[in-house]
């Protein structure tokens, strides 16, 4: 094995690079495109780059809000949110929902998206998204550092209580990830990736 030259650093002391590599190393990551409704009825839609699934039964997904943003406040008020799949076709609209706007401004309207009533929760789905998951919040945890100091980031976990899939993405009853057009967040200030058939390979677990 050829010896590597390593760039090593302790995050608390800085990385010494033009851009923090952490997000690029832990990536590409699924996008948590989260729709919520405030207690007063205002709609919110925002993408979160720290998002993933955490459990099978019951299905639990979660996202991290870095800072107490409108999405977090709405979930704390109502206990509900919806995850919407961000696809390549919806990338520009998704990016528009990143805009920092007042709580009363609906990102649905800002991005030209259609709110679609959910079946189990109050927040609407993105009608243009081919896959959506309605969720009820199970836990909200404020993160802390290794020395026990709380940081201004909250992990929001929710049980998926309804799933909606465009039947065009079901091939012989199996969800076709490669054809869905998922986009994923990578490192750098503007890097994204797509998933397609060319990235697909199969590997079964050993018996």
């Amino acid at each position: 094995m050829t010896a590597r030259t390593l760039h090593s650093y302790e995050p608390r002391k800085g990385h010494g690079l033009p851009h923090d590599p952490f997000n690029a190393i832990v990536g590409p990551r699924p996008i948590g495109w989260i729709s919520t409704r405030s207690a007063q009825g205002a709609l919110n839609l925002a993408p979160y780059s720290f998002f993933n699934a955490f459990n099978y039964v019951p299905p639990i997904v979660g996202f991290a809000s870095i800072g107490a943003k409108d999405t977090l406040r709405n979930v704390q008020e109502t206990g509900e949110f919806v995850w919407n799949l961000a696809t390549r076709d919806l990338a520009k609209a998704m990016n528009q929902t990143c805009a920092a706007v007042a709580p009363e401004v609906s990102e649905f309207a800002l991005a030209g998206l259609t709110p679609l009533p959910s079946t189990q929760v109050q927040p609407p789905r993105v009608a243009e998204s081919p896959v959506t998951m309605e969720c009820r919040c199970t836990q909200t945890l404020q993160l802390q550092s290794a020395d026990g100091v709380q940081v201004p980031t909250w992990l929001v976990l929710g049980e998926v209580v309804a799933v909606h899939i465009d039947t065009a993405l079901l091939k012989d009853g199996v969800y076709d990830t490669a054809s869905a057009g998922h986009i994923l967040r990578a490192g750098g200030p503007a890097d994204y990736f797509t998933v397609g058939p060319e990235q697909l390979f199969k590997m079964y677990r050993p018996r």
Side-chain angles (χ1 to χ4, degrees), residues 4 11 43 81 144 147 153 187 192:
R4 291 189 176 94
L43 301 185
F81 64 92
Q144 63 182 36
D147 53 11
T153 297
Y192 288 83

Side-chain angles (χ1 to χ4, degrees), residues 4-42:
R4 291 189 176 94
T5 300
L6 300 176
H7 175 83
S8 302
Y9 67 94
E10 297 175 37
R12 290 190 179 195
K13 298 178 181 177
H15 49 75
L17 298 170
H19 191 275
D20 191 337
F22 177 76
N23 289 4
I25 296 167
V26 186
R29 301 178 305 284
I31 296 170
W33 202 14
I34 307 297
S35 51
T36 57
R37 183 192 297 268
S38 73
Q40 293 74 37

